[in-house]
Amino acid sequence: MNPQQRIEALTRELQQHNHSYYVLAQPTISDYEFDQLLKELERLEAQYPEFRLPDSPTLRVGGAVTREFPSFRHLRPMMSLGNSYSTGDLQEFDRQIRELNGGKPFSYLAEHKFDGVSLSLHYENGVLVRAVTRGDGVEGDEITANARTIRSVPLRLLGQGWPAYVEVRGEAMMFRSTFGQLNAARTEAGLPALMNPRNTTAGTLKQQDSAMVAQRNLVFFAYTLFADGTEAAADADNLDRLAAWGFRLSGAHRVCPDLDAVLAYLDEWESKRKTLDYEIDGVVIKVNELDQREEIGYTAKAPRWAIAYKYKSEEAVTQLSSVSFQVGRTGKVTPVANLEPVLLAGTLVRRASIHNADEIQRLGLHHSDWVAVEKGGEIIPKITRVLEARRPADAVPVLFPAHCPDCGTELVREDGDANHYCPNEAGCPPQVEGRIIHFASRKALDIEGLGSEIVKQLVAAGLVREYSDLYSLTYEQLVGLDRFADLSARNLIEALEASKQVPFARVLFGLGIRYVGETVAKKLARQFGSIGALAAADFETLRNTPDVGDRIAASIRAFFEQPEHLERIARLQRAGLQLEAAQKGAQAGMLAGKSFVISGVFSSRSREEMQALVESLGGEVKSSLSSKTHYLLAGDQAGPSKLSKAAQHQIPILSEQDFLTMIHGVD
């Protein structure tokens, strides 16, 4: 057997042993024998690197160092789920499903709601090519080198029947037993203990050294499959395929014929979850039939056909030390409770959210009160109630301030708004700094090297008063400052110059218009095409823009009616920033108002590039077909159910060439 053949044979043999041990929990050889085979493969690959396969088991030991994790736009949004906490919530969910699906018979799929870190794995021709974190649901960080070290992540799909492109979603986690061993080792080495498995998993996946990730022994549980061209009838069938292709499942999912069976599943696992070696914080309940999911549809943020039932959060009792009032970049004043430290769900909690003045009043909060704290959604601590019987006799009520805690300006509260705001936009330090930090953030202008501490330094030095001042900075002004040697000063000037190429939608988001988030900014950029057109739009025109409505329209009008805002924009324009949509071989906005569903594999571009092209021309890409979809863009191996549904609803089906012809041959 020549070296190439031996490398291939060892790769396949080790993959099978790895699957048997880490996925099936049925080892077929000893650890010593496995290590000897792996060492032989490492020696051969070092001697003949040209023969190493892209799914080699040696990739699992790590070694690649990643200085930064590039962003990747999900082909389908990784949406959140609506939460439920009671039988009544689930009964209402069940009623809505029956109404939306027209009374058709259906079943539910119930499965564990893992308390880990969501990942999306992409396979081309059966080989893992990309792993992406959830991020904000639209874009995540690509962490492929780190994900390869997780031994229950197949580097090559097993079996057969998988199409050219497969996306698998699931949860990366750390077993409780592994976490205990890790903390024991850290304690012995004199290092501080880590707080909980979930946070440890999240931190591990963002390690720059993949060898460190490999040492943490993370595990991956798969739960969602997208495989165009081989679509199943039910989600349970997809789970069977995932198992056949080499993925580890919890083994606890169950098809439930009705809500009563779902409730029985919830009761069963409420007590049994404590016996698991991994953490769950609830149960996910989905309509099992995939064609009905398409019919039931989605809200802007979540599928209507699924819901997460959350088990009651762990609660802790502690004493309120004080209440701080923080001012954000929009001037909103937010109260934050400072607590005597208390351990809650594996984390030491020192602060908790109170939200606004109405919440202080609802709680009847007094200084030095004893309070009950729980983690809202198991993440953000919040005060749920006050233990009035333990209130000190001399306790005084917590009062919301009448004036800004930072600049002393009298606060304002608009009708219908639960929040108080400081109107001193130009002179309130946290607002000034916050707007510049937001402007420079990754999803806005992405100005490398302009973090919060540098912004505070520039403001304190009087060099920057608002974000348009950034483009007047010179090397000579920076080089003598603390934190600014020759290289760092030059790098910031170069980063500012590079930010002038950031697309209009991100510049618009960076302006910090109240209520205009990333998604709304994109839609406004597509709809109006330039900052001038947006500034000139009246209230009625704005409110009729998709996803805008009255509140956002009023905020946009108020923003552009302030002369200082117009002056900032004029300065940005003179600096050369992109304040109108780019023209790319066809009129920007030529697909405005048109919605597309993309399916299959394309020859001229990747699927994500095809999605970006549609969006750059003003179109909107949806994850599922409905009667309101304008086009199905179908590549090779497009999903049969999507093709069938498009024909059923008389939705035009565009081939790759049809689409390129439509947009006049745009690259």
Side-chain angles (χ1 to χ4, degrees):
M1 187 179 293
N2 63 40
Q4 183 175 7
Q5 291 171 329
R6 182 56 179 163
I7 286 173
E8 290 177 357
L10 281 169
T11 297
R12 299 295 168 250
E13 183 180 355
L14 285 165
Q15 283 174 338
Q16 188 58 56
H17 290 314
N18 188 78
H19 177 70
S20 298
Y21 186 93
Y22 289 100
V23 177
L24 303 180
Q26 298 171 352
T28 49
I29 60 174
S30 69
D31 290 349
Y32 174 79
E33 291 171 303
F34 184 93
D35 289 342
Q36 293 307 303
L37 291 173
L38 186 62
K39 286 177 181 177
E40 181 186 353
L41 180 59
E42 287 174 338
R43 285 195 302 270
L44 285 170
E45 287 180 346
Q47 192 173 356
Y48 304 99
E50 68 274 18
F51 297 146
R52 187 174 80 167
L53 297 174
D55 57 327
S56 171
T58 59
L59 295 171
R60 295 201 183 275
V61 300
V65 175
T66 305
R67 296 301 177 196
E68 60 179 31
F69 298 102
S71 295
F72 180 83
R73 185 178 179 85
H74 296 297
L75 303 184
R76 305 167 179 84
M78 292 187 75
M79 306 181 86
S80 57
L81 294 178
N83 290 330
S84 64
Y85 298 91
S86 67
T87 300
D89 291 340
L90 294 179
Q91 288 171 338
E92 175 60 20
F93 170 71
D94 184 65
R95 184 196 65 76
Q96 290 179 2
I97 293 296
R98 295 178 186 281
E99 182 179 298
L100 291 168
N101 81 345
K104 298 184 184 73
F106 71 99
S107 59
Y108 287 117
L109 180 70
E111 56 190 356
H112 288 169
K113 184 179 182 299
F114 300 107
D115 192 16
V117 177
S118 298
L119 289 182
S120 170
L121 307 178
H122 299 249
Y123 292 82
E124 291 182 3
N125 299 314
V127 176
L128 177 69
V129 295
R130 187 182 300 110
V132 187
T133 63
R134 181 183 182 276
D136 62 1
V138 177
E139 286 186 350
D141 291 328
E142 185 178 333
I143 57 164
T144 310
N146 287 348
R148 284 195 179 109
T149 70
I150 303 175
R151 294 182 182 272
S152 49
V153 169
L155 301 183
R156 178 184 291 273
L157 300 180
L158 301 182
Q160 55 188 3
W162 28 264
Y165 198 95
V166 170
E167 180 183 356
V168 177
R169 292 178 178 176
E171 205 89 353
M173 305 179 70
M174 180 175 283
F175 282 139
R176 286 172 167 152
S177 55
T178 305
F179 179 72
Q181 292 164 6
L182 175 62
N183 263 346
R186 289 177 65 86
T187 301
E188 186 175 341
L191 298 172
L194 300 169
M195 291 309 300
N196 58 59
R198 186 193 183 282
N199 290 355
T200 303
T201 300
T204 298
L205 288 173
K206 297 306 289 289
Q207 290 283 333
Q208 293 183 330
D209 185 354
S210 59
M212 176 67 74
V213 184
Q215 293 171 17
R216 291 286 179 88
N217 294 322
L218 300 181
V219 65
F220 178 80
F221 288 105
Y223 51 66
T224 297
L225 170 65
F226 297 107
D228 283 351
T230 60
E231 295 170 350
D235 202 8
D237 299 332
N238 273 338
L239 293 180
D240 291 341
R241 288 201 289 171
L242 285 171
W245 292 350
F247 290 93
R248 182 168 188 160
L249 309 181
S250 71
H253 63 275
R254 184 180 303 167
V255 176
C256 301
D258 52 33
L259 185 60
D260 287 341
V262 170
L263 296 177
Y265 182 91
L266 298 178
D267 289 342
E268 175 186 340
W269 280 103
E270 184 160 20
S271 57
K272 286 174 63 176
R273 67 188 175 120
K274 301 297 184 183
T275 67
L276 294 169
D277 197 21
Y278 56 86
E279 296 186 346
I280 66 171
D281 56 4
V283 169
V284 176
I285 302 144
K286 310 174 184 176
V287 171
N288 188 32
E289 288 71 21
L290 298 179
D291 59 341
Q292 291 197 36
R293 291 183 182 181
E294 300 294 330
E295 187 173 338
I296 293 166
Y298 303 78
T299 67
K301 295 183 178 179
R304 290 191 174 94
W305 42 262
I307 196 168
Y309 178 84
K310 305 295 287 289
Y311 290 121
K312 182 171 175 53
S313 300
E314 182 180 332
E315 184 179 79
V317 172
T318 187
Q319 192 169 24
L320 177 69
S321 298
S322 62
V323 176
S324 303
F325 294 88
Q326 299 179 342
V327 183
R329 65 176 176 84
T330 64
K332 184 173 80 170
V333 180
T334 303
V336 176
N338 301 304
L339 307 169
E340 290 298 323
V342 62
L343 193 63
L344 175 62
T347 302
L348 198 64
V349 173
R350 292 183 172 87
R351 310 175 83 196
S353 172
I354 316 179
H355 301 300
N356 51 46
D358 290 346
E359 184 68 2
I360 291 175
Q361 187 173 8
R362 183 191 72 78
L363 290 167
L365 197 61
H366 284 55
H367 290 284
S368 300
D369 266 341
W370 286 86
V371 295
V373 183
E374 68 177 38
K375 286 192 174 181
E378 301 288 349
I379 298 172
I380 304 170
K382 63 179 181 179
I383 294 176
T384 56
R385 57 193 173 91
V386 171
L387 282 62
E388 293 186 19
R390 298 181 63 178
R391 176 174 291 161
D394 59 348
V396 296
V398 174
L399 299 177
F400 205 92
H403 295 82
C404 176
D406 281 276
C407 70
T409 304
E410 186 174 356
L411 300 179
V412 297
R413 181 177 180 178
E414 299 171 1
D415 290 342
D417 195 330
N419 300 304
H420 288 73
Y421 291 88
C422 171
N424 183 18
E425 179 183 323
C428 185
Q431 292 189 63
V432 173
E433 294 165 1
R435 283 194 302 274
I436 299 169
I437 292 167
H438 171 76
F439 182 83
S441 65
R442 192 182 77 172
K443 293 180 181 178
L445 277 291
D446 193 18
I447 304 173
E448 188 173 351
L450 199 60
S452 59
E453 293 305 314
I454 297 297
V455 168
K456 290 178 181 178
Q457 182 182 1
L458 294 175
V459 171
L463 295 176
V464 175
R465 299 184 311 279
E466 39 89 6
Y467 43 69
S468 63
D469 289 338
L470 293 169
Y471 296 94
S472 300
L473 289 172
T474 65
Y475 168 82
E476 289 73 21
Q477 288 175 314
L478 295 174
V479 73
L481 297 175
D482 186 30
R483 303 172 188 264
F484 280 101
D486 173 75
L487 183 59
S488 54
R490 293 186 188 280
N491 286 344
L492 181 54
I493 296 298
E494 289 175 6
L496 286 165
E497 189 63 29
S499 72
K500 296 177 183 180
Q501 304 307 314
V502 167
F504 171 46
R506 284 170 51 192
V507 178
L508 179 57
F509 173 59
L511 296 182
I513 303 172
R514 190 184 296 179
Y515 309 130
V516 175
E518 184 185 9
T519 300
V520 171
K522 289 178 181 177
K523 295 197 173 182
L524 290 169
R526 291 175 196 155
Q527 183 80 7
F528 294 96
S530 71
I531 198 72
L534 179 62
D538 60 25
F539 177 81
E540 285 301 318
T541 302
L542 289 166
R543 71 188 291 268
N544 290 321
T545 302
D547 289 353
V548 173
D550 291 357
R551 185 176 72 160
I552 299 177
S555 177
I556 295 169
R557 286 305 321 138
F559 181 87
F560 286 109
E561 286 168 1
Q562 295 188 45
E564 59 268 29
H565 292 164
L566 298 179
E567 173 56 27
R568 284 178 199 164
I569 291 167
R571 292 185 68 193
L572 294 177
Q573 205 150 20
R574 290 194 295 271
L577 273 73
Q578 303 298 311
L579 291 171
E580 60 181 41
Q583 306 286 324
K584 290 189 176 181
Q587 277 199 331
M590 67 175 296
L591 299 180
K594 304 297 183 184
S595 61
F596 291 74
V597 169
I598 301 177
S599 181
V601 180
F602 301 91
S603 60
S604 64
R605 295 165 173 79
S606 67
R607 197 148 119 180
E608 56 267 27
E609 289 171 338
M610 198 65 82
Q611 175 175 333
L613 179 56
V614 170
E615 292 178 338
S616 73
L617 297 173
E620 189 170 8
V621 177
K622 300 283 192 179
S623 59
S624 60
L625 286 162
S626 73
S627 58
K628 296 181 181 179
T629 304
H630 291 94
Y631 298 101
L632 171 63
L633 177 50
D636 292 339
Q637 301 183 45
S641 68
K642 287 187 172 67
L643 294 169
S644 175
K645 190 165 186 177
Q648 176 187 341
H649 289 292
Q650 298 183 324
I651 297 168
I653 300 173
L654 301 176
S655 68
E656 182 174 1
Q657 188 55 53
D658 291 336
F659 175 70
L660 296 176
T661 300
M662 171 190 283
I663 61 174
H664 310 299
V666 175
D667 289 332

